[in-house]
């Protein structure tokens, strides 16, 4: 226990030093120190039919982004913040890439964009949009929209407390107790995600909006309540931030 506490204390000091110096070698050392944490978090989300290496990769990307965005003045340790980011990234993986039922691609795409379309219409109409208004915005029939909403509600990944059988006839166990297998081929990891680099070029307000919307999963209205502005202002900040990031990534592309 004492050695573990010392290790955590040393790592936190390294993080503080890196945030002051942005030393790439120190950054690599910090990332490597968190390998066990990355794999531990990823393995707690293992489920049948989902490659564990995908979850590990999602956790690695979240860790790298967390290190670049971490604010040492926050009343939390970096490891706590990193775990929060990794869990959020893995949950997004389940939300965006896994379905519990076979769904036509068109309905998948509509269901995946329902939230965004609702927010955009809310910003323009200043009220909750109706089904006919949403169907018109998508350019589809009301019946197709309702079907997409229904299949979207049917998609539900297993929770950590849900039970499933590991093998036929074996006793069911909670998902969080399942232990996945380490990927022996995961020798390298992404050094720098262009997305995070583009995000760093934004001002603090736009970064906060994007973090709350796409990393923490808040609606535009929830972000507006926290920032003390209107939902329409949040919508404008979000659109401008995404446009600026696309331009930054286009300029950085070879």
């Amino acid at each position: 226990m004492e050695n573990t506490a010392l290790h955590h204390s040393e790592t936190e000091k390294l993080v503080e030093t890196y945030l002051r110096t942005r030393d790439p070698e120190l950054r690599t050392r910090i990332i490597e120190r968190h390998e066990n944490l990355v794999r531990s978090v990823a393995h707690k989300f293992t489920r049948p039919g989902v490659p564990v290496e995908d979850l590990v990769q999602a956790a690695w990307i979240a860790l790298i982004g967390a290190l670049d965005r971490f604010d040492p003045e926050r009343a939390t340790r970096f490891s706590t913040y990193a775990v929060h980011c990794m869990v959020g990234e893995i949950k997004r993986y389940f939300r965006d890439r896994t379905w519990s039922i076979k769904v036509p691609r068109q309905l998948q795409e509509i269901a995946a964009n329902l939230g965004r379309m609702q927010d955009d219409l809310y910003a323009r109409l200043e009220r909750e949009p109706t089904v006919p208004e949403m169907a018109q915005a998508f350019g589809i029939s009301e019946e197709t929209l309702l079907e997409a909403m229904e299949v979207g509600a049917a998609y539900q990944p297993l929770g950590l407390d849900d039970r499933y059988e590991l093998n036929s006839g074996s006793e069911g166990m909670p998902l969080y107790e399942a232990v996945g297998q380490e990927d022996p081929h995961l020798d390298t990891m992404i050094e720098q995600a262009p997305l995070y680099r583009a995000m760093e070029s934004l001002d603090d307000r736009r970064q906060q909006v994007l973090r709350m919307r796409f990393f923490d999963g808040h609606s535009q209205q929830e972000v507006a309540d926290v920032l003390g502005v209107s939902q329409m202002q949040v919508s404008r900040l979000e659109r401008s931030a995404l446009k600026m990031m696309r331009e930054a990534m286009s300029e950085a592309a070879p």
Side-chain angles (χ1 to χ4, degrees):
M1 290 292 292
E2 184 176 348
N3 290 337
T4 300
L6 180 61
H7 177 81
H8 289 325
S9 177
E10 291 177 348
T11 301
E12 294 297 322
K13 292 179 180 177
L14 289 176
V15 170
E16 293 180 5
T17 303
Y18 166 71
L19 294 173
R20 290 196 308 270
T21 64
R22 297 292 174 175
D23 181 349
E25 293 185 2
L26 184 57
R27 181 174 182 268
T28 300
R29 285 178 57 195
I30 295 170
I31 292 172
E32 291 174 347
R33 274 176 168 251
H34 288 84
E35 180 174 3
N36 290 339
L37 180 63
V38 166
R39 295 185 179 278
S40 175
V41 172
H43 290 160
K44 288 182 179 180
F45 285 86
T46 54
R47 56 175 290 190
V50 177
V52 67
E53 58 267 24
D54 286 1
L55 304 182
V56 172
Q57 184 177 19
W60 273 125
I61 293 174
L63 173 71
I64 294 170
L67 177 58
D68 291 335
R69 297 190 310 272
F70 183 64
D71 182 355
E73 295 183 0
R74 294 181 180 180
T76 183
R77 296 193 312 177
F78 169 71
S79 58
T80 302
Y81 175 68
V83 168
H84 173 76
C85 294
M86 285 187 277
V87 170
E89 187 68 27
I90 291 174
K91 285 183 177 180
R92 275 188 291 278
Y93 170 87
F94 280 115
R95 181 191 65 198
D96 298 338
R97 303 191 186 185
T98 61
W99 288 78
S100 57
I101 58 175
K102 183 66 175 179
V103 177
R105 187 173 186 83
Q106 181 194 21
L107 296 183
Q108 285 191 32
E109 294 176 352
I110 296 171
N113 288 285
L114 277 173
R116 178 187 58 79
M117 183 61 71
Q118 284 179 309
D119 288 341
D120 291 343
L121 289 174
Y122 186 95
R124 296 206 302 267
L125 303 173
E126 297 186 355
R127 59 172 171 78
E128 290 295 335
T130 64
V131 169
E133 289 168 339
M134 292 186 63
Q136 183 179 5
F138 275 111
I140 58 176
S141 67
E142 294 179 30
E143 291 75 13
T144 301
L145 176 65
L146 292 172
E147 187 176 0
M149 295 172 71
E150 184 176 354
V151 298
Y155 168 63
Q156 181 63 52
L158 290 175
L160 292 179
D161 294 324
D162 292 335
R163 292 177 176 271
Y164 70 96
E165 294 185 356
L166 296 177
N167 298 295
S168 178
S170 64
E171 182 179 358
M173 61 184 300
L175 186 59
Y176 68 82
E177 292 183 5
V179 179
Q181 298 295 319
E182 292 189 1
D183 179 7
H185 303 294
L186 193 62
D187 300 316
T188 60
M189 56 189 170
I190 299 176
E191 283 295 329
Q192 181 67 55
L195 178 65
Y196 294 121
R197 181 178 299 168
M199 189 170 177
E200 289 176 355
S201 66
L202 302 176
D203 58 73
D204 292 341
R205 174 57 64 90
R206 286 182 172 82
Q207 286 192 39
Q208 185 177 7
V209 169
L210 292 187
R211 281 199 299 269
M212 295 184 68
R213 287 282 290 130
F214 300 107
F215 290 87
D216 299 333
H218 293 293
S219 68
Q220 288 186 345
Q221 188 58 56
E222 290 172 337
V223 176
D225 292 341
V226 171
L227 299 182
V229 298
S230 69
Q231 187 270 340
M232 189 171 296
Q233 286 178 285
V234 171
S235 179
R236 286 197 295 266
L237 284 169
E238 180 181 320
R239 287 198 300 271
S240 65
L242 293 175
K243 180 181 179 181
M244 293 167 67
M245 288 181 65
R246 283 194 294 268
E247 292 174 350
M249 293 174 69
S250 297
E251 293 175 358

